[in-house]
């Protein structure tokens, strides 16, 4: 289960606005696909009505469960389009079964298929009769909304080609691990249905690419634990998305772009430039440039930003330690007390829409301001700092060149924040041996590491919180929602008491947020020990063992709102070793030395 903490809204986030763009008259294939979507939405509505009818007979629990699976399949056939064109309604239909807190503080209660699933598996809950009826009633409304939307919408070929490619990315990242059907457990059948629907849509343009081998691979899978996800991605999914990108080029479709994390022209999730490090800037002008990066790097290693003139950003984020400090918790600026939390890596920090373990900073610029002015961390004053920088002739020249303006008389605080944030954005690097393997180098990973990847994506359940390929908690493939989890981290290693840090609850409130923390990236973690927000675990072996036991609840800690499944994973000694082998293959190569 997941606890989605924030939804970052951009101008063109939901593609609702994009879908209303009228570039030209509707394309002929798009009109035909529109009719297909209307038909599929009506099918979904019919299946939901049948589920409501079946629900009335309490003696037919198995029939009720079978009908529920038909509803899910009907939705999966429609998913590529609903997630792209109608994301807010799609979220109501197949969103997470836990409350969500928006950036604004608004709490959205769970609804839809994933909540319904909890009421009918492994057996229908007789105590949830009214709740179930309310949920099914809302499902009917949402299915009707899908139909009404597609009847009115003017779809375009460029949107459809983008949407179908995104659906394959969705299958790769969260479709093969029972992410949204953890109890009914039909991820392969559902992914096959989704891929079949994508095939039917693309057939309106050309018989290329050939979806059938991938669909067959999903229709006749090995067991959940033995399914070879590495083979599916490299042999089927990557060729499909590459072919779709080629087809889009051949069709000479309009190149409509907007700011998002996953670049629209990415042929696979593993392309060297698939992800946009500037996606979460507030404005286009805030993007990193070579000049900003150079200035930010100089500031990063300068102690001038701290109140006592003795601490720089690099004091806690050391390049030779993957921009961490190797400590359980660093000392505060006085050197007398430990700060509140373990120091996280800055590598790939730009690839997430909110910062800190409690997600309290909506941008890297806000993070910079918070750290510099935090009394424990740097105890600086940004206004005083800008005055010092202005009096320094070298900095005055650098800021004037980097942020040119007429008749400059001072340095703006945002310029300092943006320069430092730009340097952090330059620490975006996805060039591990794992990436080479996914890009086609079959010799980049050893067999043990490939087995570890398949465990990560399957039996070990890691990928239900640390999503491929960034392995952080930003939900693919739209990458606008970032999640936090309650996993029950102990105060002491092998302890039976939860760490007292309340995490998101201290920022957002809500009992479901007690002890919830961002799921940090698994990339480079072999270089960033110790682990967890409190640094309680010294080694990756200890971390894997904690998860294998079912987190805090699995080890005997009382934590009623734990989102991590407390059931043991039952990993063997060899499987644990393979899992760690894979994690080590995620180390990137970053050459950043002090100025």
């Amino acid at each position: 289960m997941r606890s989605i903490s924030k939804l970052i809204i951009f101008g063109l986030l939901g593609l609702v606005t994009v879908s209303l763009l009228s570039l030209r008259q509707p394309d002929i294939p798009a009109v035909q696909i529109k009719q297909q979507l209307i038909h599929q939405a009506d099918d979904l509505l019919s299946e939901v009505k049948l589920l409501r009818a079946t629900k009335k007979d309490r003696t037919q629990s198995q029939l009720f469960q079978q009908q529920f699976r038909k509803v899910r399949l009907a939705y999966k056939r429609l998913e590529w389009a609903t997630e792209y064109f109608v994301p807010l309604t799609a979220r109501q239909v197949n969103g997470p079964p836990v409350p969500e807190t928006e950036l604004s503080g608004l709490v959205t209660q769970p609804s839809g298929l994933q909540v319904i699933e909890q009421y009918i598996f492994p057996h229908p809950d007789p105590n949830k009769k009214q709740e179930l009826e309310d949920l099914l009633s809302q499902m009917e409304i949402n299915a009707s909304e899908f139909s009404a939307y597609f009847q009115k919408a003017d779809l375009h070929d460029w949107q459809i080609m983008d949407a179908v490619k995104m659906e394959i990315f969705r299958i790769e990242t969260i479709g093969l691990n029972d992410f949204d059907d953890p109890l009914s457990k039909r991820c392969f059948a559902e992914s096959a249905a989704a891929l079949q629907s994508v095939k039917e849509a693309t057939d309106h343009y050309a018989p290329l690419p050939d979806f059938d081998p991938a669909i067959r691979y999903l229709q006749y899978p090995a067991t959940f634990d033995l399914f070879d996800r590495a083979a599916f991605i490299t042999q089927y999914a990557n060729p499909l998305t590459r072919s779709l990108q080629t087809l889009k080029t051949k069709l000479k479709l309009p190149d409509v772009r907007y700011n998002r994390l996953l670049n629209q022209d990415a042929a696979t999730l593993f392309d060297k430039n698939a992800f946009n490090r500037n996606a979460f800037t507030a404005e286009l002008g805030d993007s990193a440039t070579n000049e900003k990066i150079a200035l930010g790097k100089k500031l990063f290693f300068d102690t001038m930003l701290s109140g006592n003139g003795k601490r720089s950003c690099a004091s806690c984020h050391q390049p030779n330690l993957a921009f961490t400090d190797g400590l359980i918790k660093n000392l505060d600026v006085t050197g007398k007390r430990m700060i509140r939390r373990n120091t996280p890596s800055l590598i790939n920090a730009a690839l997430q829409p909110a910062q800190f373990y409690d997600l309290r900073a909506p941008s890297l610029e806000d993070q910079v301001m918070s750290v510099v002015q935090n009394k424990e961390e740097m105890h600086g004053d940004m206004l005083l700092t800008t005055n010092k920088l202005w009096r320094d002739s070298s900095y005055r020249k650098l800021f004037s060149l980097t942020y040119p303006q007429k008749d400059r008389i001072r340095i703006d605080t945002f310029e300092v924040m943006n320069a430092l944030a730009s340097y952090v954005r330059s620490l975006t690097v996805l060039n591990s041996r794992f990436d080479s393997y996914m890009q086609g180098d079959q010799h980049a990973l050893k067999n043990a590491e490939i087995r570890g990847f398949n465990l990560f994506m399957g039996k070990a359940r890691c990928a239900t919180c640390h999503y491929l390929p960034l392995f952080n908690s930003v939900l693919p493939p739209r990458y606008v929602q970032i999640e936090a989890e309650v996993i029950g981290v102990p105060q002491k290693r092998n302890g039976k008491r939860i760490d007292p840090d309340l995490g998101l609850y201290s920022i957002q409130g809500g009992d479901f947020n007690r002890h919830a923390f961002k799921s940090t990236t698994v990339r480079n973690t072999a270089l960033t020990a110790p682990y967890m927000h409190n640094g309680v675990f010294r080694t990756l072996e200890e971390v894997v063992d904690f998860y294998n036991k079912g987190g805090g609840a699995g080890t005997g800690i009382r934590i009623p709102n734990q989102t991590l499944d407390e059931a043991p994973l039952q990993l063997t000694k060899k499987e644990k070793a393979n899992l760690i082998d894979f994690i080590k293959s995620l180390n990137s190569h970053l050459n950043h030395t002090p100025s």
Side-chain angles (χ1 to χ4, degrees):
M1 299 206 179
R2 291 89 55 214
S3 174
I4 296 186
S5 57
K6 295 185 179 181
L7 175 62
I8 311 300
I9 304 294
F10 294 98
L12 297 175
L13 161 69
L15 290 170
V16 175
T17 306
V18 174
S19 68
L20 297 177
L21 290 174
S22 296
L23 300 175
R24 56 185 181 181
Q25 292 299 313
D27 309 294
I28 293 176
V31 172
Q32 296 169 332
I33 291 169
K34 172 180 174 177
Q35 294 305 313
Q36 172 185 319
L37 293 172
I38 296 170
H39 177 71
Q40 289 175 331
D42 290 340
D43 282 347
L44 173 62
L45 179 58
S46 297
E47 296 293 358
V48 173
K49 289 181 177 179
L50 282 173
L51 183 62
R52 291 187 73 179
T54 307
K55 177 184 70 67
K56 296 176 182 179
D57 188 350
R58 290 288 169 183
T59 65
Q60 300 294 324
S61 61
Q62 187 174 5
L63 184 62
F64 188 37
Q65 291 175 345
Q66 290 175 352
Q67 183 57 36
F68 172 78
R69 290 190 174 105
K70 289 182 179 180
V71 171
R72 283 199 57 86
L73 284 173
Y75 178 70
K76 284 294 177 176
R77 296 184 189 102
L78 197 60
E79 183 180 57
W80 71 266
T82 59
E83 287 284 351
Y84 191 89
F85 294 104
V86 208
L88 296 181
T89 305
R91 186 176 169 189
Q92 294 178 30
V93 170
N94 197 33
V98 291
E100 300 177 88
T101 306
E102 308 295 354
L103 189 61
S104 64
L106 177 68
V107 177
T108 302
Q109 294 301 322
S111 65
L113 293 170
Q114 296 187 52
V115 182
I116 295 171
E117 182 187 55
Q118 294 181 334
Y119 291 166
I120 65 177
F121 287 89
H123 305 287
D125 187 344
N127 298 319
K128 298 295 184 179
K129 182 178 180 180
Q130 187 57 52
E131 290 93 333
L132 191 55
E133 176 60 30
D134 292 342
L135 287 167
L136 292 174
S137 177
Q138 184 60 47
M139 279 290 297
E140 280 197 28
I141 294 172
N142 290 332
S144 298
E145 288 178 357
F146 288 148
S147 181
Y149 175 85
F150 290 118
Q151 287 177 25
K152 296 178 181 178
D154 289 330
L155 309 185
H156 293 278
D157 292 336
W158 69 269
Q159 297 170 310
I160 291 167
M161 295 304 297
D162 192 26
V164 294
K165 187 174 66 172
M166 292 275 276
E167 182 64 17
I168 299 176
F169 290 154
R170 182 175 291 105
I171 291 170
E172 290 179 69
T173 54
I174 60 178
L176 305 177
N177 56 15
D178 290 330
F179 173 82
D180 55 2
D181 65 336
L183 299 176
S184 54
K185 296 184 181 299
R186 298 271 290 173
C187 66
F188 302 126
E190 291 186 1
S191 294
L195 204 54
Q196 178 65 36
S197 186
V198 166
K199 175 185 183 297
E200 292 167 2
T202 57
D203 279 348
H204 288 281
Y205 300 97
L208 185 76
D210 185 3
F211 284 83
D212 291 337
I215 294 171
R216 285 195 297 268
Y217 197 86
L218 292 169
Q219 288 175 332
Y220 305 102
T223 63
F224 181 86
D225 290 350
L226 296 180
F227 184 80
D228 193 339
R229 292 161 177 84
F232 177 80
I233 292 171
T234 56
Q235 297 175 28
Y236 300 101
N238 283 349
L240 278 177
T241 53
R242 288 192 189 103
S243 295
L244 286 172
Q245 188 64 26
T246 300
L247 176 59
K248 177 185 175 183
T249 302
K250 288 181 178 179
L251 293 173
K252 298 181 180 180
L253 301 178
D255 190 21
V256 180
R257 293 176 178 268
Y258 58 96
N259 197 34
R260 74 184 194 192
L261 186 60
L262 179 59
N263 287 318
Q264 285 165 281
D265 56 359
T268 75
L269 288 170
F270 312 97
D271 287 8
K272 290 183 179 179
N273 297 312
F275 291 91
N276 172 19
R277 67 186 182 185
N278 294 306
F280 299 123
T281 53
E283 297 180 10
L284 186 62
D286 298 341
S287 297
T289 64
N290 290 337
E291 293 77 14
K292 290 180 182 180
I293 292 169
L295 174 57
K297 183 176 181 180
K298 182 176 175 64
L299 290 166
F300 190 86
F301 293 95
D302 199 326
T303 58
M304 190 188 300
L305 274 67
S306 62
N308 62 8
K310 297 180 179 180
R311 172 171 283 185
S312 71
C313 302
S315 299
C316 297
H317 297 283
Q318 300 172 28
N320 63 319
L321 294 174
F323 288 86
T324 63
D325 54 24
L327 303 173
I328 294 174
K329 295 176 183 177
N330 212 315
L331 296 175
D332 69 2
V333 72
T334 69
K336 297 179 180 179
R337 297 184 302 273
M338 280 189 176
I339 61 174
R340 189 178 180 190
R341 294 170 181 157
N342 175 262
T343 302
S345 173
L346 294 181
I347 299 177
N348 298 326
L351 305 181
Q352 52 190 21
Q355 307 296 327
F356 295 115
Y357 287 107
D358 55 18
L359 303 171
R360 67 183 182 274
S363 71
L364 285 169
E365 283 80 3
D366 290 305
Q367 181 187 41
V368 168
M369 176 67 84
S370 178
V371 171
V372 169
Q373 302 200 151
N374 186 287
K375 292 182 179 180
E376 292 185 339
E377 297 182 44
M378 295 188 76
H379 202 188
D381 183 302
M382 193 64 81
L383 185 58
L384 292 177
T385 296
T386 55
N387 290 334
K388 291 179 186 177
L389 293 169
W390 181 250
R391 291 195 296 269
D392 185 306
S393 59
S394 63
Y395 271 120
R396 187 164 62 247
K397 181 179 180 181
L398 282 173
F399 273 95
S400 297
L401 290 172
T402 305
Y403 300 95
Q405 57 178 270
K406 187 177 180 180
D407 300 325
R408 175 186 282 273
I409 59 173
R410 62 184 177 86
I411 293 171
D412 188 81
T413 57
F414 181 79
E415 293 171 343
V416 178
M417 295 158 58
N418 182 238
L420 279 164
S422 294
Y423 176 62
V424 176
R425 291 183 179 107
S426 78
L427 306 180
T428 301
V429 56
L430 304 169
N431 64 357
S432 67
R433 288 190 294 109
F434 165 78
D435 296 297
S436 296
Y437 178 82
M438 286 296 175
Q439 290 163 6
D441 183 356
Q442 297 181 0
H443 303 291
L445 293 184
K446 300 175 182 177
N447 289 336
E449 294 166 334
I450 297 171
R451 288 195 298 269
F453 170 74
N454 283 324
L455 286 163
F456 188 98
M457 297 293 291
K459 181 180 179 180
R461 310 289 294 168
C462 310
T464 57
C465 298
H466 301 278
Y467 305 115
L468 176 83
L470 302 181
F471 298 103
N472 63 17
S473 55
V474 188
L475 186 63
R478 295 176 67 237
Y479 294 103
V480 291
Q481 294 170 258
I482 186 167
E483 301 183 347
E485 300 290 335
V486 181
I487 63 174
V489 175
Q491 186 175 20
K492 296 180 179 180
R493 192 167 54 257
N494 299 321
K496 300 300 180 183
R497 183 171 297 179
I498 195 168
D499 187 269
D501 192 333
L502 294 176
L504 267 69
Y505 179 81
S506 300
I507 306 299
Q508 300 179 357
D511 286 342
F512 59 92
N513 277 328
R514 287 182 181 273
H515 308 291
F517 295 90
K518 176 180 67 178
S519 299
T520 56
T521 182
V522 181
R523 284 180 176 269
N524 305 297
T525 50
L527 308 173
T528 62
Y531 305 105
M532 303 301 179
H533 68 274
N534 60 356
V536 68
F537 297 130
R538 299 168 298 183
T539 65
L540 286 173
E541 285 77 9
E542 290 177 354
V543 173
V544 169
D545 189 58
F546 173 74
Y547 282 110
N548 189 47
K549 292 176 179 177
T555 59
I557 296 176
R558 186 177 179 277
I559 176 75
N561 65 322
Q562 179 168 304
T563 55
L564 177 70
D565 189 346
E566 64 183 79
L569 296 172
Q570 298 181 334
L571 298 174
T572 66
K573 183 178 180 180
K574 182 179 180 180
E575 287 173 334
K576 291 179 186 179
N578 289 164
L579 187 58
I580 292 171
D581 287 337
F582 163 66
I583 291 172
K584 290 179 179 178
S585 79
L586 291 172
N587 291 347
S588 294
H589 314 290
L590 184 65
N591 182 23
H592 273 261
T593 55
S595 298

